[in-house]
């Protein structure tokens, strides 16, 4: 028996007509309120919005774009400009040419609005602001610093001292020695040189709180006047100071007043602070070179590394050497490697931390076969080199608390028990012109007193000038 499928539409094959539905005639759920038959489960966008609102627990009406509230909000919103629509009756393609209609020319369209001018670039931070920010964030964690072109050739310890002025120099040496600082992922030594583009990894550190009093205008002026009173030579790129006895070059444990801190009073309007190029011991007086710009500092530092700088030191020593002019060549190493200011000892080649040190000396004058006026020309620049070499040849420098160890020796009357060592003269190529800059420092007061007492003439010819340069 063949059965015929029911006609589509409503029950009994009849199509539903609007307005003629009887609520009791049909079972609920068969048709929707608008007369459309339900053919299966259906989820509308409104159902999804209401369900999401119920899950969130908020009012569905506020988020319902189809409800009354949503319609009111949509009516209140500003209308968007409608896009121009092509007339359905307008001919297209080849038909347009036949009917004589022309496409709209681009020239007849309204010109596009000119783009808004780009905001002016914000000026970058100055060098002073960069250093201050680096010092402030140093304790926050590991940092990676990039070497700038004007920092080429700088020693790794000088690089960190320049970037973090509040970090003590002894602390810098400690973290480098322990391998906590890496350059391009490798361990670095304090005397390693940097090249532009290298990355320097700095470990988390805790900066020591500055022990100095808060700086004020009056103190800044006093420091500036004091530094200027020490100037022996000055130009736009560099200056040479006559460092007095007892003034440290850099800060350390318990050192509050030092040359590096005083130089901050001479900071220029651009934030450029004069930079130290080399160091002298705290109790050594005489010529100290300071660069006014980073470029000059790098150039002068290269002159020291290439041994283009010539230095002459004067000293008062115990005894009279049998060889009036000689050469001292040894290896020097620290007795305590962890102490930055430890005593140096004469070591052997290959010993840990040993570096070659070469010094020429010449006797200028002597007094009663007890004291000698020696002139030194160091070829290398090791820590305490002249003091250690003078003690090594048996004639330590008078007033040296570390290396003077002559038994049964009494200090002559009228001579102060202070280190009698002076950085007398320095000759170095100018960082810009390359011409030699030759500067000499006078005797400090305690050495001038000894020279007068012993009858030494400071204008006497110095035979060390003729000593070899290497």
């Amino acid at each position: 028996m063949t059965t015929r499928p029911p006609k589509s539409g409503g029950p009994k094959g009849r199509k539903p007509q609007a307005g003629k539905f009887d609520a009791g005639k049909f079972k609920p759920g068969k048709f929707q309120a608008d007369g459309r038959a339900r053919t299966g489960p259906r989820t509308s966008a409104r159902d999804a919005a209401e369900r999401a609102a119920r899950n969130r627990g908020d009012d569905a009406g506020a988020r319902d774009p189809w409800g009354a509230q949503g319609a009111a909000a949509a009516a209140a919103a500003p209308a968007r400009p409608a896009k121009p629509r092509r007339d359905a009756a307008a001919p297209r393609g080849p038909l347009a040419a036949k009917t004589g209609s022309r496409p709209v020319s681009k020239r007849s369209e309204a010109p596009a609005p000119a783009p808004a001018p780009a905001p002016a670039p914000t000026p970058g931070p100055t060098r002073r602001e960069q250093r201050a920010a680096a010092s402030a964030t140093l304790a926050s964690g590991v940092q990676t610093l990039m070497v700038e072109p004007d920092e080429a050739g700088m020693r790794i310890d000088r690089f960190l001292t320049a970037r973090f002025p509040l970090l003590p120099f002894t602390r810098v040496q400690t973290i480098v020695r322990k391998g906590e600082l890496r350059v391009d992922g490798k361990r670095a030594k304090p005397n390693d040189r940097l090249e532009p583009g290298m990355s320097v990894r700095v470990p988390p550190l805790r900066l020591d709180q500055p022990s100095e009093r808060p700086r004020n205008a009056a103190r800044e002026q006093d420091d500036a006047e004091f530094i200027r009173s020490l100037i022996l030579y000055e130009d736009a790129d560099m200056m040479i100071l006559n460092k007095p006895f007892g003034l440290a070059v850099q800060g350390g444990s318990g050192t509050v007043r030092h040359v590096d801190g005083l130089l901050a009073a001479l900071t220029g309007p651009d934030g450029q602070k004069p930079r130290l190029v080399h160091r002298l011991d705290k109790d050594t007086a005489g010529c100290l070179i300071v660069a006014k710009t980073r470029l000059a500092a790098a150039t002068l530092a290269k002159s020291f590394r290439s041994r283009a700088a010539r230095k002459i030191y004067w000293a008062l020593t115990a005894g009279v050497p049998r060889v009036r002019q000689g050469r001292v060549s040894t290896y020097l190493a620290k007795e305590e490697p962890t102490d930055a200011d430890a005593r140096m000892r004469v070591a052997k080649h290959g010993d840990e931390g040993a570096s070659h040190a070469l010094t020429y000396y010449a006797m200028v004058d002597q007094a009663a076969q007890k004291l000698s006026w020696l002139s030194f020309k160091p070829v290398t620049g090791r820590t305490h080199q002249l003091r250690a070499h003078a003690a090594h040849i048996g004639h330590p420098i008078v007033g040296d608390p570390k290396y003077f160890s002559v038994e049964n020796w009494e200090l002559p009357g009228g001579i102060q028990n202070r280190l009698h060592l002076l950085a007398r003269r320095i000759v170095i190529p100018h960082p810009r012109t390359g011409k030699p800059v030759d500067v000499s420092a006078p005797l400090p007061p305690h050495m001038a007193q000894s020279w007068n007492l012993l009858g030494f003439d400071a204008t006497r010819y110095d035979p060390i000038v003729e000593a070899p340069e290497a």
Side-chain angles (χ1 to χ4, degrees):
M1 178 178 179
T2 303
T3 57
R4 301 175 66 181
K7 295 181 180 180
S8 60
K12 298 183 181 180
R14 293 179 300 173
K15 295 183 179 181
Q17 298 180 7
K20 296 184 180 181
F21 292 104
D22 186 358
K25 196 172 184 179
F26 301 106
K27 294 181 180 180
K30 289 288 185 177
F31 293 91
Q32 302 184 52
D34 56 357
R36 292 182 290 116
R38 291 185 180 271
T39 57
R42 178 177 297 176
T43 302
S44 64
R46 179 174 180 176
D47 296 336
E50 292 176 352
R51 184 165 57 253
R54 287 194 300 270
N55 294 335
R56 289 191 302 267
D58 55 1
D59 185 11
R63 298 177 178 270
D64 185 5
W66 296 280
Q69 298 180 6
R80 297 182 180 179
K83 296 183 180 179
R85 299 181 61 183
R86 187 190 300 269
D87 189 359
R92 300 183 183 181
L95 185 60
K98 295 180 180 180
T99 56
S101 61
R102 296 181 180 180
V104 179
S105 174
K106 293 184 178 181
R107 294 183 179 180
S108 62
E109 297 178 358
T122 305
T126 62
R127 283 287 183 183
R128 169 180 282 185
E129 294 172 346
Q130 290 176 356
R131 290 195 302 267
S135 298
T137 59
L138 182 59
S140 61
V142 177
Q143 298 184 69
T144 301
L145 309 177
M146 299 303 296
V147 180
E148 302 294 337
D150 58 353
E151 295 171 330
M154 291 184 66
R155 286 166 51 114
I156 184 63
D157 51 1
R158 305 297 181 199
F159 170 80
L160 290 182
T161 302
R163 288 294 188 98
F164 306 106
L166 298 181
L167 189 65
F169 188 71
T170 54
R171 177 59 177 155
V172 171
Q173 293 182 323
T174 300
I175 63 175
V176 176
R177 185 179 64 253
K178 291 183 177 181
E180 299 176 0
L181 187 140
R182 301 297 178 95
V183 177
D184 287 342
K186 300 179 182 178
R187 295 185 62 168
K189 297 180 181 179
N191 58 350
D192 285 351
R193 305 290 174 175
L194 297 175
E195 297 298 333
M198 286 184 172
S199 61
V200 181
R201 178 188 177 276
V202 181
L205 299 174
R206 184 177 298 277
L207 292 176
D208 296 339
Q209 295 297 327
S211 57
E212 301 184 34
R213 295 172 298 172
R215 306 193 71 89
N216 52 50
R219 186 181 181 189
E220 291 280 352
Q221 184 176 358
D222 292 343
D223 292 347
E225 292 178 355
F226 174 73
I227 286 292
R228 293 196 178 279
S229 68
L230 305 178
I231 295 177
L232 299 173
Y233 170 87
E234 183 181 21
D235 59 24
D237 301 290
M238 59 181 290
M239 57 184 175
I240 301 179
L241 306 179
N242 180 23
K243 189 191 83 67
F245 167 88
L247 179 61
V249 173
Q250 289 181 310
S253 177
T255 302
V256 176
R257 185 176 175 84
H258 48 85
V259 176
D260 192 31
L262 296 173
L263 289 174
L266 301 182
T267 302
D270 58 348
Q272 290 270 3
K273 171 192 169 185
R275 298 169 175 84
L276 295 170
V277 177
H278 65 121
R279 292 186 299 165
L280 294 177
D281 295 338
K282 178 179 179 180
D283 293 338
T284 301
C287 298
L288 179 68
I289 299 180
V290 176
K292 289 187 173 182
T293 64
R294 187 177 295 276
L295 180 60
T299 305
L300 292 170
K302 289 180 181 178
S303 297
F304 277 97
R305 291 197 306 271
S306 63
R307 300 178 183 176
R310 302 289 180 258
K311 297 172 288 183
I312 294 178
Y313 289 76
W314 283 0
L316 183 66
T317 63
V320 179
R322 291 182 302 171
V323 181
R324 298 178 64 90
Q325 299 179 11
R327 175 178 180 268
V328 184
S329 177
T330 66
Y331 285 86
L332 296 178
K334 291 182 179 180
E335 291 184 346
E336 297 292 338
T338 59
D339 187 359
D341 196 37
R343 188 177 186 272
M344 304 297 290
R345 62 178 177 85
V346 176
K348 296 180 180 180
H349 178 58
D351 289 355
E352 183 179 0
S355 301
H356 180 249
L358 176 61
T359 305
Y360 289 92
Y361 75 90
M363 189 181 72
V364 184
D365 204 350
Q366 59 89 20
Q369 296 295 317
K370 190 172 184 179
L371 295 170
S372 297
W373 168 12
L374 294 187
S375 183
F376 294 98
K377 179 187 282 188
V379 177
T380 56
R382 310 305 177 195
T383 303
H384 300 171
Q385 176 175 322
L386 300 182
R387 298 163 63 181
H389 276 178
H392 178 65
I393 63 177
H395 302 284
I397 300 175
V398 173
D400 192 339
K402 286 183 178 290
Y403 299 92
F404 196 96
S405 59
V406 180
E407 297 181 359
N408 301 324
W409 193 88
E410 294 182 2
L411 190 69
I415 296 180
Q416 301 182 43
N417 189 21
R418 292 185 171 187
L419 181 67
H420 283 61
L421 180 61
L422 168 69
R424 166 65 177 177
R425 182 180 177 187
I426 190 165
V427 182
I428 190 170
H430 192 273
R432 187 173 4 171
T433 64
K435 296 180 179 180
V437 177
D438 188 352
V439 178
S440 297
L443 291 167
H446 70 284
M447 289 183 67
Q449 179 182 348
S450 301
W451 256 238
N452 292 333
L453 179 65
L454 299 174
F456 293 158
D457 184 7
T459 62
R460 187 169 179 173
Y461 172 72
D462 190 352
I464 200 66
V465 176
E466 299 178 358
E469 304 293 347

